[in-house]
Amino acid sequence: MKSIMKQLSALALIFILNSCGGVPEEKTADASEEKAFAVEEVLEMVAKENDVTRTLYTKAIVGKGKKQGMKFDEDWRKDDVEAGPLPALFLRGVATSIRKGPVPLGLYLGSDYPINAANKFQGQQAELFTEIKKNQEPKFFYDEEQKLHTAMFADLASAGACVTCHNDHPQTSKSDWKLGDVMGATTWQYPKDSLTYKETVAVLNSYAKGTVDIYMEYLDEIKAFEKSKKPEIGDKWPAEGNYLPTPEVFLDSVRKLSSYETMKHLVASAK
Ligand code: HEC
């Protein structure tokens, strides 16, 4: 049961919840309109999906890819740069995709000592970030100015590559980051204080779609490579050679790693 569940997407689970167990049609419709989750819970779920995605991208694509000679660069979109997006820019790509879609979910990666000055926390978020640095606990608050429910989660130096790249970067504002440091925080925002199942699934799906969008942009860049050896795109990963997974294979791995936790949450509150 456990392994089957792991392979189901959150969406499939909702479908199963709604379609089995002899729940009458009408009741199902009502249930999907009911407020099922507090905004804090939903932002926590999507932040977890983000942790898994980010770690997978950083370690299995960027980390292992570099060993195969693949390049990752902040100027990856430039025509003369044959490289993929750095982890922070992968996240920015996800945020941009979400913003273009219909779900009012905001995502931002900031820090107190950023490489890019545009990523420096300001005002209330800067204040809360000093607390996050102390205990690594998430912060939830209502941003009166923007009228948005806001959650901030610590972004940790989880791999040696985070530390070396940031410390050595020509634009860095801090060069003594250490493994395990709180390097920044992801800030998530949503306008309503509670969400229905449908809205919750829409949030999770818009995040997943964002990862596929930015990953596909990377694969498109590769098509235009002239000087570099193009990786073969299929079901293999860079750990095995000059390969990259297809967007489907990438997303499938994210889901296997993360959805089980998300689903336990969805199921627990459906009881
Ligand atoms: C190969 C270089 C490289 C690696 C590896 C890397 N980063 Fe970054 N990171 C950058 C660059 C460059 C930026 C600025 C991107 C931009 O223009 O917004 C950035 C941005 C960030 C930001 C936003 C604040 C800032 O500095 O602008 C955070 C937080 C961050 N990275 C954390 C991490 C963490 C945690 C890891 C490891 C999981 C990591 N980074 C891995 C280069 C790197």
Side-chain angles (χ1 to χ4, degrees):
M1 185 60 189
K2 206 166 162 179
S3 71
I4 297 169
M5 286 205 43
K6 269 190 188 171
Q7 298 195 20
L8 292 170
S9 67
L11 185 65
L13 181 83
I14 290 289
F15 179 76
I16 290 165
L17 282 175
N18 283 342
S19 60
C20 69
V23 183
E25 277 284 309
E26 267 171 52
K27 210 170 166 196
T28 309
D30 283 346
S32 71
E33 297 307 317
E34 251 170 50
K35 296 295 179 186
F37 296 102
V39 65
E40 289 83 4
E41 290 178 284
V42 176
L43 296 181
E44 210 159 359
M45 278 190 253
V46 72
K48 270 205 188 109
E49 301 265 326
N50 176 58
D51 274 347
V52 170
T53 309
R54 194 158 145 75
T55 305
L56 188 70
Y57 184 75
T58 305
K59 293 193 174 162
I61 305 279
V62 179
K64 293 284 194 293
K66 277 187 170 169
K67 291 192 180 143
Q68 303 294 342
M70 295 176 201
K71 304 229 161 36
F72 298 87
D73 197 289
E74 54 211 273
D75 293 325
W76 69 284
R77 287 182 198 271
K78 289 190 181 156
D79 285 347
D80 56 337
V81 178
E82 302 199 338
L86 291 176
L89 300 175
F90 187 85
L91 194 86
R92 170 105 45 84
V94 175
T96 304
S97 160
I98 295 170
R99 198 160 52 236
K100 287 183 189 156
V103 176
L105 174 71
L107 166 58
Y108 173 82
L109 178 66
S111 176
D112 50 353
Y113 291 105
I115 289 179
N116 181 342
N119 301 333
K120 192 169 163 75
F121 282 128
Q122 309 285 347
Q124 198 173 5
Q125 291 192 27
E127 276 168 40
L128 291 171
F129 183 62
T130 60
E131 287 176 45
I132 294 176
K133 283 193 96 154
K134 281 182 212 143
N135 58 16
Q136 307 188 4
E137 293 289 326
K139 291 280 169 206
F140 301 97
F141 65 101
Y142 183 68
D143 185 324
E144 292 286 349
E145 225 166 273
Q146 295 181 274
K147 301 266 179 283
L148 291 169
H149 295 272
T150 307
M152 294 173 76
F153 300 90
D155 193 45
L156 301 177
S158 54
C162 318
V163 172
T164 45
C165 183
H166 276 249
N167 284 347
D168 298 345
H169 196 279
Q171 266 97 50
T172 193
S173 51
K174 177 176 160 70
S175 50
D176 57 353
W177 293 111
K178 296 183 302 297
L179 209 61
D181 275 353
V182 179
M183 292 180 76
T186 49
T187 302
W188 301 82
Q189 296 186 302
Y190 196 81
K192 294 199 262 177
D193 66 352
S194 58
L195 289 80
T196 64
Y197 270 110
K198 247 191 208 162
E199 288 165 334
T200 303
V201 173
V203 162
L204 294 170
N205 282 345
S206 77
Y207 179 81
K209 179 179 181 297
T211 64
V212 169
D213 284 350
I214 179 69
Y215 188 70
M216 278 166 65
E217 280 182 55
Y218 171 31
L219 298 185
D220 277 348
E221 285 282 316
I222 290 174
K223 278 189 206 143
F225 281 6
E226 283 172 3
K227 291 165 277 174
S228 324
K229 199 162 161 266
K230 295 183 193 182
E232 194 183 312
I233 296 158
D235 57 3
K236 292 204 182 101
W237 291 74
E240 296 170 76
N242 195 27
Y243 302 107
L244 278 175
T246 61
E248 294 76 25
V249 171
F250 181 76
L251 188 63
D252 199 44
S253 282
V254 170
R255 288 195 155 147
K256 278 182 188 145
L257 291 165
S258 73
S259 299
Y260 186 57
E261 279 306 309
T262 303
M263 274 191 281
K264 272 201 305 202
H265 204 106
L266 291 173
V267 172
S269 80
K271 278 179 189 158

